[in-house]
Every structure is written in structure tokens, then in C-alpha cells.
Amino acid sequence: MKAPRQGRLVALTLLALVLFSPPLLLLFDRPTDYGFSSLALVLYGCWAGLILLAAIVLEGRDAD
Amino acid sequence: MQTNWIVLTIAFSYLALLFVIAAWGDRRAEQGRSLVNSPTIYALSIAVYCTAWTFYGSVGRAATTGLSFLLIYLGPTLAMLSGWLVLRKMIRIARAQRITSIADFISARYGKSGGLGMLVALIAVIAIMPYIALQLKAITVSYGVLTEYPNLTPPDLSLQDFWNDKAFWVALVLAVFIILFGTRHLDASERHEGMVTAIAFESLVKLFAFIAVGLFVCFALYPGPSALMADAASMLPNLEQHFGLDQIPGGPLGWFGTLILATLAFITLPRQFQVLVVENVNEQHLRRACWLFPLYLLLINLFVIPIALAGMMGGMSEPDSFVLTLPLSAGLDALPLLVFIGGLSAATSMMIVETIALSTMVSNQLVMPLLLRWRSLHLDPSRDLSGWLLGIRRIAIIAILILGYLYHALIGEAYSLVTIGLVSFAAASQFAPALLLGLYWRGASRNGAAAGLLAGITVWAWTLLIPGFALSGWIPTDFIEQGPYGLTLLKPYALFGLEGWDIYTHSLFWSMLVNIGLLVSVSLFSRQTHMEQTQAALFTNALRPEAEMAAIWQGQANRQELFQLVQRYLGKAATVRLLGVEPLDRHDDSPATPAMLAAAEQGLTGALGSATARILINSVVRGEALDMDSILSILDNTSQTLEYNRRLEQKSNELSRISAELRGANDRLRELDRLKDEFLAMVSHELRTPLTSIRAFAEILNDAEAMEPEQRQHFLGIIVRESERLSRLIEEILDMARLESGRMTLSPERCDLSQLTRQAIEAVEQLFQQRGIRLESRLPDTPCPVIADPDRLQQVLINLLDNASKFAGTDTPRVFVDLTALKQRYEVHVEDNGPGIAVAEREKVFEKFHQIEAGHSDKARPQGTGLGLPISRGIINQQGGRLWVADPKTLTGACIVLALPSAPDETQEVSS
């Protein structure tokens, strides 16, 4: 059961790196209704989602 | 605005509370009910990452450079997501090798190199110490804001009246705290449970304080977050330029650079290494910390943007103080105090952990190695040095805090101190190549690591530190604009013409380029020592199960010397616990076991660092200290040939053993073959003798036409006797063959030996009377139970009596039979008064066809086959008894002894 979890964590780390890096970020760097960039909201959302995924992978039933 | 006294009382009460919590944590640890043994506490202690610089500075950065503040937290999130893979490996290595700091870790990875440890410790001290000053400055500034608001005057930083500076007293209290809870004892593991408990508590306090301000701003100052946003959109000009990537220094590239910088620094900052790796109690805790700590970071950053926006709308001047000034401007009393305590907790927790980490490095990597090498110091070998160690570490703690305070007081406003946060991140990240590559690439060598580190830190100094000095006004700034001596290629912020990058990404790029480049290339072109290879193998294979077997010590060490050595540094109680033996007799020179040597090295590593421990252990170990081959052969792929060699040798040993066995078996077979031939020859000879006489007499009878009936009768009698003899002989040969092939079937039962002997005597009585032999016997009245086949046993007894009768003396032949009961057995002695058996002959009589040369003058040869005694012995042996020739006791001739074990009691036999 160890190998799939390690693989998932590697994938998750890479996903985080991609989400937090410029090419994708530039897509979200658009003004919102309030005037400033939506980047902040997207970042916070991605961040929370990654934490949730990490919690699921790490605390999942096949953890041991 | 608060009065000084209230603020001071609360601040120092808070510090007192820390003492109480730390003492409680230590108490619980001593009782074995550790508080720290919880993944949540572990995750909270990692939050020492959030210092005062981020507590106050995040909002400031958000207000000035937009989202760049987030990078400082997204980096650690990345590191923690991969933490289960990377950090767990580091934790396991640190546990196995008793690593106490990042300098120790890197030194241990590269062959326990003392020089490399020293280099890392030096870099850490130079780069991180100003960071401590930054925390003190935050305390002074926030105290000033809190007590002077709304008259914000920049704090007067000087050494003139340092006793009026609260930061000085905070530093003093912290020194006491760290000495109390950071250097209480020298244990194999440099863990400080009380301290970690206090740090975890502080993390809760700062989170609570920051969220309280955030809630206040979002819901008390404004009706809600969306109202706040709407207000900001209407009030702030050019808002569309806010919080976009354009606002980040260096744009998208700067964003990426800072993200990587924060990721690396999170792992390599000495205080992070301390809480992540050294203070980790159980690697399973990492599982929860890997998502709980990022969650903590998310929570503490949730309200940064609203607070920054509110501050900007309020038109306040110092963005770094928005957290304090916003509640102050609303006229609140309690909330600013809470914020102040939150900032204080962020500052103190960072200072505590950083100081412990640095002092461990200074004492273990810098001071102790020098002291031990300094021969002129004449460290008395018999002196207890554990006090010395603690003393050095305490002095280091005080020195670090005093230096930190001096930085703060003397250059507190300088550019180089204000920017030290990211600058020291960049310095710490120089450890990352040596650390991370060392974890996964076995080829990384000490020379490569040293070259990479030196070059990386030089580039760091040129591109960040020295320009910082210039911008602080300490040296001319010309070289920034024009390059040194007009060499434009070497302009520190645009090295080799690389312009348009932000200074951190620029510095990170160049320093990492030379650091990684040199580490890889020098490693590829240099040879590793045995020690390096071993450590490299142990580090890179740390997560593999076979790495459990740690370094194996060989060589000789005196147990007493080892005990004294460890005792000098760790004290007596810890030594007894570590080595598991009581102090020994002074003259005891028994060798120490490899396990004791390994335990001693680990214990000393925990207190002194791996390089120093190695030197010390080497001082008492004679001969090769480490069994390189055995470790390498297991762990190192390249030395698999060694393993094959070993196996080949094993196989060839096995082969030679087997061939020796075969040779032995062959010899035995040849011997048996020879015996068989002899036996056949003898058997044919024995068979031929009676056959010849039968044939001779039969021919006489056949040829003689007239013969006296008397003589004919005599000849016929001889033929009959010889035929009987022939059939007896064949019977015996068959018996012999059955005995030797193990096919003789015996039916053992419980029988009475004395009764059997009596029956045997009765059977031969007639014969004895005919031969005129006196037969005497001494048999007990009580039964003598044995387990035997009665028929066979009787056959043996009759055979013995018959033999005795043949060899009894000529004049007054006598035979004496004696049955005695001994402890576990019964012995039947059959003696005669004949010539006896010479000592040399005694075993030969049991050989097949062996016949004693006849001593009887009247009988030319004994009437026997020469198989009686061998058969008797075979039968007796098969029934668990023995048959041998002994010295006669009663008579003068031969004495044959038959011994049989006594049968167990009948009751027992029944019950079992």
C-alpha cells in the first residue's frame, strides 16, 4: 500500500508546483468585480484544495 | 494607548507563563507521559516558521508588493506536501545517527567531516544571527506603537540607554529560558520537550491573535468581507493593479524564484531543521503535520488582505504596523494588547528555537572540535567534561542573544537588517543542494559539497549581503551601479549582465547554479573515502529496511576506557543507561562489545556532533574502527563484487568441506571392503574345515569295504558332530549378518536378569559336570528387572558360560558367575581360573573370527567359531547394554562383564 501513496504524494507536490507557478497563474490574473485581481481568491482556493487532498491521501484508510 | 506598566506586566507575565508551560512539559516528559508525543503538537511547533517578521510583515508586504507575501507560505506548503517522502527520510537518518543540527547532518552525510560541519555552522551563524535582531526590533517597534499611539515616532535605537529598551530585557529573559529548558541535560537525543510544548503554545497564541484582528477588521470595523472589498474598490485608486502578478518584484519570474527560495529555506533554516527533524518524537507524526501545518499557514494568512486593505483605506503610514494600529485607531484596549502578545510570541518562539539550534552548532561544530584538537589546553582525561559542554553551550546562547541585541541596537534601521528575512532565506537555501542531493545521490562527495557551499555562499554574499551593506551606507555604493573596478559584468544586482530580475531570484539563480554545478562536477571528479561511501550509502538508503543495521564497529576497545570516555561527556547516570553496564573495576580490561561501541558513538554524537564523536571513539578503539566491507557489501551496489567474492569463498569452503567428507566416506568404504574380503576369506576357511573332515570321513566310509563296526560308528559320529558344527556356524554367520545390517529383530520385554542367569546356569550345568568344572554363582534373591529380549539374552549368557568353561583352568577348573545391582544398571561377571586374556587382546576378542591361541594342551584348539563374542556384543549393544573384558575379581583368569541398564519402575511404566 506504500507505493500508491508515495506516488499520489509526488503527483500532489507536482500539481501544487504547477498551480503555484506562473503559466497557470497568469490565466487567473484577471480583474474581478471589485477591481482587483482574482489571483488571490484562486490561490487561496487551490491552497485549501491541496491541503484537503493531502489530508485525504495521508490519513486515508490505506495509510498503514 | 496603554500605560507602560500594564503592557510590561502583561508581556512579562506572558513570558512567565512560557516558563510554567515549558516546566510542565518537561515534568510530563520525565513522568513518561510526554505532551510532545502528539502529531498536533508537532505540527504546531513547526509553526515557529511564522516569526514576527511575518506576523507584522505579511500585511506590510501585502500593502506594498501585493501577493508576494503568500510565497513565503506557499513554499513551505510545497515542502510539506512532499514531506512524507523527503522529511521522513531526514528524520529517520537523524534518529539512526543521533543528528542534532543541520550542520551535523551535512557533516555526517559527507563522511562525518568536521570541516564541512564547521563551514555550515559558520554560514548559519553569520546569516541567521541578524534574523534574531529583527525579532528584537519587532518587539521594540510594536511596544513603541502600543504605548505611544497615535504619536508614532521611530523608536530610538542606540546602545545609550539599553536598559530602557524592553527588547533588551526580553532577550535577557529568553536567555534564561533557553538555558533552563534548552540545556538542562545532555542527552543522546537533543530533544527539548518542555521547549517544544512552549513553542506549540506560542503558535496557538499568534494564530489566535492574528485571527482576532482579522475578524475584528472584517466584521466589527466593516459589516463584512464583501462590504470591505466594495469599500476598497471605491476608495483606493488603481485597485486593478493590486494583487496581480505585475505587482510582484520581478514579475512572474520573481514569483517563481521566491517560491523556490521559500521552499528550500523552509527545510534548511536551522530552526526549521530543529523542530522538523531533531525534535520529532515519532516519524508517524509527520503524516498529520504534512497537511495540518499548511492548514495553519492558510488560516494565519486568511485575513492578511482584508487587514492590508483596511489599513490602506485608513490612510495609515506604516503598513508593517497595520495589525496594531487598526484596533488602536478604533479605540480598543484589549485587542491591541492581544496583538502585541501575538507578535511577542512569534518573536520569542523564533528566537528560542533559533538560538538553541545555533548554540548546538556553535558548541558541537565550532568550539568542541577546536578544544579537543588544541593540545596545549591539556584537557585532563580524567576530568568530567559534561559540565564543560553545557557551559560552552550556555555561553554560546548568551553570546548569540547579546550579538543579536547589538545588531538590533546598532544597525536596527539599516537596510541590511530590514531585508535580512529573505537574505537569510537565501543563505540557508545554500545548504539545500548538499542536503537534498546528498539524500538521493550517493555520488555526492565531501569535496563537492564543500566547493558548492563555499561558491554558493560567496555568490550570495556578493549579490545580496555586500550590496546590502552598501545600501545601509557603510561602504560606497559605486560598485552596485558600475561594478567593482568598473567591471560591469560583476555588478552585484546584474551579474554577467543578467538584468531585470528581482535581487532574490537573481541571487538564488546564480548561487544555485554554482552551488549545484560545483557539487555535481567536483563529486564526479573526486574519490570518496571509505567513510564517505559508508555514510552516503546509509543516508541514501535510509528508507530501505536493511539500513536499520547501523554502523558496525570492529576493532578492540577496552570497556573501562570506553566507559570513562562517555562518562566524561555525558555524566555517570547517562553512561550507565547508555552502555547498560555498571562502572567496572578499574583494572578490568575486558573488551567492549560492538553494540556498546555503537551505543557510545551514538550517545556522544547526540551531545557533540558526529565528527567529534568519531574522533573521540577512535581515540579508544584500536584497529580498524568500522567494518567497511560488511556495510558496503550490503548497501553499496558497486561493492556487490565483494559480496559475490564472499559467496564464492563460502561456496568453495563448502565444497572443500564436502570433498573432505567424501574422502572420509570413501576411506571408510575401502576399510569396510577390506574387512568384507577378510570376512569372506575367514568364513570360507571356517566352513571348509568341518566340510573337509566330513568329506574325508565320508570318503573313508565309502572306500573302505570292510571296516570294524566300532570304527565306522566313530567316523559317523565325527561326521554328525562336524555337520552340527557347520550348521551352527552358518546359523551364527546369519546372525552376524542380521546384526550388522540391523535386521536382527529383537522383542524386548521386561524380564528378570537374575532368573535368566539362573536358567542359563541350569542349562549348562550338565555340560559343566561332564567336563568336571566347578560352577559357582552369587545371585541376588531380589528380582533384577531389565528390558531385553529374554531368548537372546539367555543365548548370550550361555555363550559366555560356554566360553568360560572352555578356558577354565586345567587342574581344578572353576567358573564363577556374579550378578550385582549397581545404581542404574546390573552387571553379570563371568570369571574363570584359566590363563586369562592379555590387556592387548581384550578388545580383539570381540572381532569376528578372532580366536585366542589355545592354552589348553589337551585340546588343540578351542571348539568355537570365533563369532560368539561379536554376536553377543552386538545383541547386548542393541539392547542398550555393554559387553567388555575386565580384570577378574574373584578368580584369576578371564572376566567378561555384561552390563544392562535397569528397567524403570513398573509403576512408572504403567503410569506413563
Side-chain angles (χ1 to χ4, degrees):
Chain A
M1 282 295 129
K2 225 163 196 177
R5 188 171 68 218
Q6 291 199 348
R8 283 173 208 164
L9 284 171
V10 171
L12 201 60
T13 310
L14 291 177
L15 176 69
L17 189 65
V18 170
L19 284 178
F20 293 158
S21 302
L24 276 186
L25 289 184
L26 289 171
L27 294 181
F28 304 117
D29 196 4
R30 307 243 163 84
T32 56
D33 298 344
Y34 294 118
F36 54 86
S37 171
S38 63
L39 193 60
L41 281 177
V42 171
L43 271 179
Y44 276 105
C46 289
W47 199 0
L50 285 169
I51 292 169
L52 186 70
L53 281 176
I56 290 170
V57 171
L58 282 162
E59 305 277 338
R61 202 178 299 155
D62 67 343
D64 291 307
Chain B
M1 179 187 150
Q2 300 283 344
T3 61
N4 283 349
W5 283 113
I6 293 175
V7 177
L8 280 183
T9 312
I10 288 180
F12 284 95
S13 308
Y14 173 75
L15 291 180
L17 181 64
L18 283 188
F19 277 80
V20 173
I21 290 172
W24 179 51
D26 267 349
R27 176 88 41 85
R28 288 281 295 255
E30 278 161 20
Q31 290 168 353
R33 298 182 299 147
S34 176
L35 285 168
V36 181
N37 195 6
S38 131
T40 311
I41 299 272
Y42 176 61
L44 283 175
S45 73
I46 300 173
V48 70
Y49 181 73
C50 303
T51 63
W53 175 55
T54 51
F55 187 85
Y56 294 113
S58 279
V59 174
R61 281 172 75 91
T64 50
T65 57
L67 283 179
S68 74
F69 78 95
L70 263 186
L71 290 167
I72 307 299
Y73 304 98
L74 293 180
T77 304
L78 274 181
M80 282 314 262
L81 286 178
S82 63
W84 183 250
L85 310 172
V86 180
L87 293 173
R88 192 165 57 108
K89 194 168 188 177
M90 286 162 63
I91 288 170
R92 194 168 288 184
I93 293 166
R95 167 123 352 113
Q97 307 226 355
R98 302 290 153 109
I99 302 286
T100 52
S101 66
I102 187 165
D104 200 10
F105 192 93
I106 292 178
S107 140
R109 162 62 182 81
Y110 297 100
K112 308 200 176 184
S113 150
L116 205 54
M118 226 175 253
L119 180 64
V120 174
L122 267 177
I123 293 174
V125 168
I126 292 170
I128 309 294
M129 200 114 76
Y131 206 170
I132 293 176
L134 198 63
Q135 309 301 313
L136 287 167
K137 187 187 166 201
I139 294 172
T140 309
V141 170
S142 59
Y143 176 79
V145 170
L146 196 60
T147 51
E148 304 293 330
Y149 188 84
N151 311 314
L152 287 184
T153 49
D156 179 26
L157 294 174
S158 71
L159 265 185
Q160 294 291 306
D161 46 6
F162 63 86
W163 53 87
N164 271 336
D165 186 354
K166 309 306 169 287
F168 175 76
W169 298 105
V170 170
L172 210 63
V173 171
L174 283 184
V176 175
F177 179 91
I178 298 166
I179 287 172
L180 265 184
F181 297 103
T183 61
R184 284 186 65 197
H185 44 74
L186 278 172
D187 216 335
S189 63
E190 270 299 318
R191 285 208 196 108
H192 314 92
E193 303 218 341
M195 185 199 81
V196 172
T197 318
I199 299 301
F201 170 76
E202 296 211 88
S203 295
L204 278 180
V205 170
K206 63 192 176 201
L207 179 65
F208 179 70
F210 203 88
I211 288 186
V213 181
L215 290 177
F216 161 78
V217 168
C218 281
F219 297 102
L221 218 53
Y222 291 87
S226 43
L228 190 150
M229 298 291 170
D231 271 17
S234 61
M235 281 178 69
L236 293 174
N238 305 326
L239 195 66
E240 56 271 19
Q241 284 165 19
H242 274 90
F243 305 116
L245 274 184
D246 299 337
Q247 212 186 353
I248 311 291
L253 195 63
W255 170 278
F256 188 69
T258 316
L259 180 69
I260 297 300
L261 182 62
T263 312
L264 297 181
F266 173 72
I267 299 174
T268 52
L269 278 171
R271 68 168 187 281
Q272 290 312 123
F273 189 89
Q274 181 81 23
V275 289
L276 277 170
V277 178
V278 181
E279 304 284 354
N280 176 283
V281 185
N282 179 346
E283 69 176 36
Q284 291 300 320
H285 292 174
L286 195 60
R287 189 199 302 275
R288 178 158 321 155
C290 278
W291 61 269
L292 199 59
F293 174 66
L295 186 64
Y296 180 99
L297 294 181
L298 178 67
L299 288 178
I300 206 167
N301 278 295
L302 211 49
F303 294 107
V304 169
I305 293 176
I307 295 172
L309 286 175
M312 285 153 80
M313 285 188 285
M316 290 167 194
S317 56
E318 276 286 330
D320 279 354
S321 304
F322 280 175
V323 191
L324 264 178
T325 46
L326 272 172
L328 276 173
S329 66
L332 294 177
D333 279 337
L335 192 58
L337 260 180
L338 180 64
V339 172
F340 174 70
I341 294 298
L344 184 65
S345 70
T348 52
S349 60
M350 181 277 179
M351 286 162 72
I352 290 168
V353 181
E354 201 80 86
T355 307
I356 285 194
L358 286 181
S359 71
T360 310
M361 279 193 229
V362 167
S363 78
N364 287 2
Q365 257 68 39
L366 292 175
V367 180
M368 278 314 282
L370 290 178
L371 278 186
L372 286 173
R373 280 179 195 147
W374 203 354
R375 293 257 170 241
S376 59
L377 204 65
H378 292 305
L379 288 180
D380 184 5
S382 62
R383 205 157 70 204
D384 180 10
L385 285 184
S386 58
W388 263 69
L389 254 181
L390 285 177
I392 289 170
R393 209 166 285 177
R394 284 171 185 155
I395 291 169
I397 288 169
I398 293 172
I400 288 166
L401 284 172
I402 285 179
L403 260 172
Y405 181 76
L406 284 178
Y407 267 112
H408 152 70
L410 295 176
I411 56 167
E413 284 304 308
Y415 170 85
S416 64
L417 188 64
V418 177
T419 54
I420 193 69
L422 275 177
V423 172
S424 59
F425 270 37
S429 62
Q430 298 307 317
F431 303 145
L435 181 78
L436 297 176
L437 265 181
L439 278 182
Y440 295 98
W441 182 38
R442 193 181 302 171
S445 76
R446 185 188 61 207
N447 293 342
L453 261 177
L454 275 173
I457 209 68
T458 309
V459 172
W460 164 82
W462 179 246
T463 53
L464 279 181
L465 190 69
I466 297 173
F469 287 166
L471 293 177
S472 304
W474 302 331
I475 47 175
T477 56
D478 303 344
F479 73 101
I480 300 180
E481 296 303 322
Q482 284 123 36
Y485 311 111
L487 292 169
T488 46
L489 279 184
L490 291 182
K491 284 198 289 186
Y493 286 152
L495 213 53
F496 303 114
L498 189 69
E499 285 182 83
W501 292 28
D502 74 293
I503 56 170
Y504 300 109
T505 311
H506 171 263
S507 171
L508 185 74
F509 171 75
W510 284 117
S511 61
M512 282 296 148
L513 189 72
V514 295
N515 192 333
I516 298 173
L518 278 176
L519 170 56
V520 172
S521 55
V522 173
S523 295
L524 288 177
F525 288 97
S526 66
R527 282 179 71 89
Q528 288 179 314
T529 62
H530 270 309
M531 191 65 194
E532 277 181 80
Q533 288 178 11
T534 312
Q535 286 296 95
L538 284 173
F539 271 59
T540 48
N541 291 312
L543 288 181
R544 288 221 224 135
E546 64 262 29
E548 291 296 319
M549 52 152 297
I552 302 162
W553 282 92
Q554 267 192 347
Q556 289 288 312
N558 185 319
R559 199 177 276 206
Q560 174 67 13
E561 280 175 15
L562 186 71
F563 197 93
Q564 276 176 352
L565 174 77
V566 180
Q567 190 176 350
R568 276 173 72 197
Y569 293 94
L570 301 182
K572 191 171 164 184
T575 310
V576 172
R577 198 169 58 238
L578 197 66
L579 298 184
V581 287
E582 286 295 318
L584 302 141
D585 176 21
R586 190 160 286 276
H587 305 292
D588 182 46
D589 59 349
S590 56
T593 61
M596 284 167 80
L597 277 170
E601 196 198 3
Q602 288 191 340
L604 288 175
T605 305
L608 292 160
S610 52
T612 312
R614 178 108 222 136
I615 295 168
L616 288 175
I617 292 282
N618 271 334
S619 71
V620 295
V621 173
R622 287 172 292 278
E624 180 60 18
L626 200 62
D627 183 7
M628 300 299 172
D629 292 347
S630 69
I631 295 171
L632 288 181
S633 64
I634 293 164
L635 293 173
D636 198 352
N637 282 337
T638 56
S639 67
Q640 228 162 26
T641 39
L642 270 178
E643 175 69 8
Y644 289 145
N645 271 343
R646 198 180 61 76
R647 283 199 197 145
L648 265 179
E649 201 178 330
Q650 223 171 25
K651 280 265 185 283
S652 93
N653 284 345
E654 211 171 313
L655 274 178
S656 60
R657 191 172 51 78
I658 288 171
S659 92
E661 271 174 22
L662 278 176
R663 205 173 302 126
N666 191 31
D667 287 348
R668 267 202 311 286
L669 278 175
R670 279 170 188 278
E671 173 70 13
L672 284 177
D673 192 50
R674 194 182 57 79
L675 285 177
K676 188 201 72 185
D677 288 346
E678 255 174 44
F679 179 74
L680 273 178
M682 275 191 265
V683 166
S684 6
H685 174 75
E686 291 294 323
L687 290 177
R688 208 174 50 199
T689 319
L691 203 59
T692 315
S693 55
I694 289 171
R695 191 178 153 197
F697 284 108
E699 274 173 2
I700 291 172
L701 285 175
N702 193 30
D703 295 343
E705 282 152 18
M707 192 182 276
E708 297 290 318
E710 217 172 287
Q711 200 171 9
R712 177 197 294 267
Q713 200 59 41
H714 176 67
F715 285 170
L716 281 175
I718 289 176
I719 289 176
V720 168
R721 238 186 4 256
E722 287 299 310
S723 311
E724 280 171 357
R725 192 167 117 102
L726 196 58
S727 62
R728 199 167 67 240
L729 192 62
I730 290 171
E731 196 69 37
E732 281 182 348
I733 288 171
L734 285 176
D735 266 0
M736 199 70 223
R738 280 194 211 109
L739 262 177
E740 292 205 327
S741 66
R743 275 183 291 127
M744 174 169 275
T745 45
L746 296 170
S747 42
E749 58 186 63
R750 194 184 181 81
C751 49
D752 181 6
L753 185 59
S754 90
Q755 196 193 337
L756 282 172
T757 314
R758 208 166 281 128
Q759 286 169 1
I761 290 173
E762 280 164 14
V764 296
E765 221 161 16
Q766 192 66 30
L767 190 75
F768 273 61
Q769 271 177 11
Q770 279 176 10
R771 292 181 186 169
I773 302 171
R774 214 169 100 207
L775 178 58
E776 290 162 277
S777 63
R778 188 168 66 204
L779 305 175
D781 297 331
T782 50
C784 307
V786 290
I787 303 286
D789 184 330
D791 292 342
R792 290 293 184 180
L793 191 52
Q794 190 142 24
Q795 178 194 342
V796 170
L797 285 168
I798 289 172
N799 185 271
L800 292 183
L801 287 169
D802 188 44
N803 272 352
S805 74
K806 283 175 198 161
F807 292 98
T810 38
D811 300 336
T812 48
R814 282 173 66 191
V815 169
F816 180 69
V817 180
D818 180 27
L819 173 56
T820 45
L822 293 168
K823 210 172 186 179
Q824 298 280 334
R825 62 180 197 269
Y826 298 104
E827 280 187 7
V828 180
H829 292 245
V830 180
E831 301 180 17
D832 60 60
N833 62 345
I837 307 170
V839 177
E841 291 273 298
R842 283 188 177 172
E843 271 306 299
K844 287 191 181 164
V845 298
F846 293 105
E847 285 176 12
K848 282 165 278 188
F849 300 109
H850 181 88
Q851 294 196 337
I852 294 175
E853 290 309 311
H856 299 257
S857 51
D858 56 342
K859 295 169 193 164
R861 42 174 290 150
Q863 291 187 320
T865 55
L867 284 175
L869 280 177
I871 291 174
S872 301
R873 179 175 259 193
I875 291 172
I876 295 300
N877 283 354
Q878 266 199 2
Q879 315 204 54
R882 286 175 62 215
L883 190 70
W884 73 96
V885 177
D887 287 326
K889 282 180 191 158
T890 321
L891 298 177
T892 51
C895 170
I896 311 265
V897 183
L898 185 163
L900 273 175
S902 50
D905 283 350
E906 222 157 356
T907 47
Q908 279 182 4
E909 204 179 32
V910 168
S911 67
S912 67

